[in-house]
Amino acid sequence: MITADGGFRKDTAVPLKIQVDRALENNAAPSVENVLVVKRTGQDVHMEPGRDHWWHELQQNASADCPAEPMDSEDRLFVLYTSGSTGKPKGVVHTTAGYNLYTHMTFKWTFDIKETDVYWCTADVGWITGHSYIVYGPLSNGATTLMYEGAPRSSNPGCFWDVIEKYGVTIFYTAPTAIRAFIKMGEHLPKARNLTSLRLLGTVGEPINPEAWMWYYRVIGGERCPIVDTWWQTETGGFMITPLPGAIPTKPGSACKPFPGILADVVDLDGNPVGEGEGGYLVVKHPWPSMMRTVFGDDDRFRRTYWEHIAPKDGQYFYFAGDGARRDADGYYWIMGRVDDVVNVSGHRLGTMEVESALVSHPAVAEAAVVGKPDDLKGEDIVAFVTLEGTAAASEALIKELKQHVVKEIGAIARPGEIRFTDALPKTRSGKIMRRLLRSLASGQEIAGDTSTLEDRSVLDKLRAGS
Ligand code: 7RM
């Protein structure tokens, strides 16, 4: 096992080694024979004699010659856990050759990588985005890839822009949730730095709302840089739907077209393609090199979750991993969010994304998360959790105004029954809002299921206290 004494998270040193000690207590993981510990924070840790070794000490006597280990193409490369909507994490299995081939190709073409580029992906390296596009894709291309341990925080809100200026970053890849946080912190921060080295921007993780897209394009990209909106998943290993910069004109909010070789479609539950502009299930109809091979230790769950949701057509199975989408007249894909993120108000199915996007388009709103709450009359009612822009103040009048704003943007059916202001939303470390937790809160239930992927546990306590 490889670990560190601790790591830095915003302004605090988070202990890591102690978690390993706990996991190995009472011989709970007998296959772990040695633990390598990297000294990072310098905090006190327990070192078990014979089992635990400091990395810097072993390194001193290690040979500089370290031949690569030949692997079979289908040898397991890694297992990465991803939380499903039910809350029980699934171990996504990736293998050696296909994963490496596909992250290599997608990185090369989507970022149009050049010898002179300095590429920076801000993702957590423990997320699939960190695996595929901080480590494997960039390194197999011989690219210059920048890794940064920090996160923007109140003590240093402009740190990302400092990094871009200092290292002359040319390609910047981040998540919509981060972009919305930048907007909230104010455009004077990036404006005070020289960002002219940038030539290409990317986003990943969730659908990007038009306001965030325009801000990213204008303030960060200086109206000069194309934005590649890359749709993919832990399960797909690499980009599935994405523009190729310069070759495919972009539309704000669309991930554009499938990567060459990817056969995507939007279908109904019987596997029939839906009409132009209509919503449906986003599927992939043909295998691709970096597709997940199974759920670790549970082939049956793999089959059920990904291959049996959509009925096979003429003996052909479709891959479906939970997203809704529509395709427009130009063949562009518009991802509508997870199909389980819907609210059913009086028989009308509304994507939570739609309502969130409407809320965020109001100048006082920084971020919004919408969930359904059981309602005797309507079946479900909309509850919106809202964080405000720095200068805006919570008030009854603002609640009224926001409800009115949603009605104006979408229609009366989407009027939130309830709006709750909060300082922060519960998110995973990759920035995905954990609506499952908010659903429980909204309906006054105890929070059940896995919460280990929550980035900041204090957010839940604050939300509970406020409700
Ligand atoms: C890379 C990653 C996967 C889910 C996926 C979508 C959502 C990701 C986009 C997006 C709209 C995008 N892996 N998603 N990218 N939605 N546009 N460009 O995020 O396994 O953590 O999540 O993320 O719902 O199914 S992930």
Side-chain angles (χ1 to χ4, degrees):
M1 175 166 282
I2 305 174
T3 185
D5 48 358
F8 291 103
R9 195 79 197 136
K10 300 201 170 163
D11 292 319
T12 47
V14 184
L16 290 172
K17 172 64 165 57
I18 196 157
Q19 311 283 2
V20 171
D21 294 339
R22 282 198 197 120
L24 299 182
E25 254 168 33
N26 306 323
N27 205 27
S31 61
V32 176
E33 294 168 16
N34 293 287
V35 178
L36 300 189
V37 188
V38 176
K39 202 181 198 95
R40 174 71 183 108
T41 56
Q43 63 205 105
D44 261 353
V45 293
H46 165 77
M47 295 294 279
E48 185 70 24
R51 185 196 71 182
D52 300 351
H53 315 272
W54 285 110
W55 172 257
H56 60 271
E57 285 173 6
L58 292 185
Q59 213 179 16
Q60 282 185 339
N61 303 318
S63 163
D65 181 34
C66 180
E69 185 73 32
M71 304 300 282
D72 186 82
S73 59
E74 283 303 306
D75 276 344
R76 194 188 300 144
L77 181 61
F78 60 80
V79 180
L80 189 58
Y81 283 81
T82 178
S83 48
S85 52
T86 53
K88 184 169 179 271
K90 299 182 283 273
V92 171
V93 175
H94 281 294
T95 58
T96 306
Y99 176 84
N100 273 290
L101 168 71
Y102 198 69
T103 51
H104 182 88
M105 289 308 300
T106 48
F107 179 78
K108 186 172 176 171
W109 289 2
T110 305
F111 292 119
D112 182 27
I113 195 76
K114 307 266 200 292
E115 198 56 48
T116 46
D117 276 319
V118 178
Y119 161 87
W120 182 22
C121 166
T122 67
D124 186 314
V125 76
W127 182 30
I128 189 67
T129 305
H131 284 59
S132 300
Y133 299 110
I134 295 178
V135 182
Y136 290 94
L139 294 188
S140 74
N141 276 282
T144 302
T145 174
L146 192 151
M147 277 172 93
Y148 181 65
E149 192 179 22
R153 54 204 185 276
S154 42
S155 62
N156 190 2
C159 62
F160 275 21
W161 321 124
D162 289 338
V163 170
I164 293 177
E165 185 177 83
K166 179 168 174 191
Y167 295 98
V169 171
T170 60
I171 306 173
F172 182 63
Y173 186 40
T174 195
T177 178
I179 297 168
R180 286 191 295 269
F182 302 148
I183 298 175
K184 191 175 177 184
M185 288 185 272
E187 64 181 74
H188 61 282
L189 295 166
K191 286 245 163 93
R193 275 78 171 183
N194 179 359
L195 304 183
T196 53
S197 58
L198 290 172
R199 68 168 185 88
L200 180 60
L201 302 174
T203 76
V204 58
E206 45 174 327
I208 182 164
N209 50 301
E211 277 67 30
W213 197 99
M214 290 310 297
W215 189 92
Y216 197 30
Y217 182 73
R218 185 173 56 82
V219 180
I220 306 307
E223 299 183 20
R224 177 185 73 245
C225 308
I227 298 178
V228 289
D229 179 347
T230 59
W231 177 82
W232 60 296
Q233 307 170 307
T234 307
E235 293 88 340
T236 70
F239 303 155
M240 301 300 278
I241 302 182
T242 176
L244 300 180
I248 306 216
T250 57
K251 302 185 187 189
S254 169
C256 299
K257 299 196 174 199
F259 194 79
I262 299 301
L263 265 72
D265 205 349
V266 182
V267 301
D268 62 20
L269 274 178
D270 297 322
N272 299 309
V274 302
E276 184 186 297
E278 274 176 42
Y281 300 94
L282 178 57
V283 296
V284 185
K285 299 174 127 175
H286 202 263
W288 65 100
S290 63
M291 61 197 288
M292 75 182 284
R293 298 303 195 261
T294 189
V295 172
F296 186 62
D298 199 345
D299 291 347
D300 195 48
R301 187 166 181 205
F302 177 53
R303 222 174 279 127
R304 278 195 327 264
T305 311
Y306 300 103
W307 301 97
E308 290 178 354
H309 196 88
I310 308 291
K313 227 168 151 50
D314 307 323
Q316 197 204 345
Y317 284 80
F318 297 159
Y319 167 84
F320 173 67
D323 282 2
R326 63 188 169 81
R327 195 169 45 201
D328 70 15
D330 300 324
Y332 279 53
Y333 285 76
W334 298 79
I335 315 298
M336 292 154 62
R338 311 286 304 171
V339 293
D340 38 24
D341 287 339
V342 291
V343 204
N344 198 322
V345 185
S346 310
H348 297 263
R349 275 169 68 89
L350 286 161
T352 55
M353 252 297 298
E354 284 176 79
V355 186
E356 286 160 12
S357 186
L359 283 164
V360 171
S361 71
H362 188 283
V365 176
E367 196 151 41
V370 161
V371 295
K373 153 183 166 177
D375 183 278
D376 289 343
L377 224 58
K378 305 183 205 170
E380 269 187 306
D381 196 8
I382 293 175
V383 180
F385 294 83
V386 168
T387 65
L388 293 176
E389 290 284 351
T391 49
S395 69
E396 280 301 318
L398 183 57
I399 290 181
K400 253 182 135 168
E401 192 179 317
L402 291 180
K403 288 184 180 176
Q404 229 10 72
H405 182 72
V406 174
V407 172
K408 191 182 94 220
E409 294 288 309
I410 304 177
I413 192 72
R415 175 201 296 273
E418 202 181 317
I419 291 183
R420 295 192 196 173
F421 295 118
T422 168
D423 286 343
L425 296 168
K427 289 183 193 167
T428 65
R429 288 185 67 172
S430 65
K432 292 196 194 348
I433 297 167
M434 296 181 76
R435 292 191 185 73
R436 177 169 56 85
L437 307 184
L438 292 175
R439 262 194 301 273
S440 305
L441 278 174
S443 52
Q445 286 163 359
E446 264 312 297
I447 286 166
D450 181 61
T451 54
S452 62
T453 51
L454 199 59
E455 187 200 21
D456 180 354
R457 309 191 126 254
S458 70
V459 170
L460 263 195
D461 300 327
K462 280 190 210 145
L463 277 166
R464 271 204 204 94
S467 63

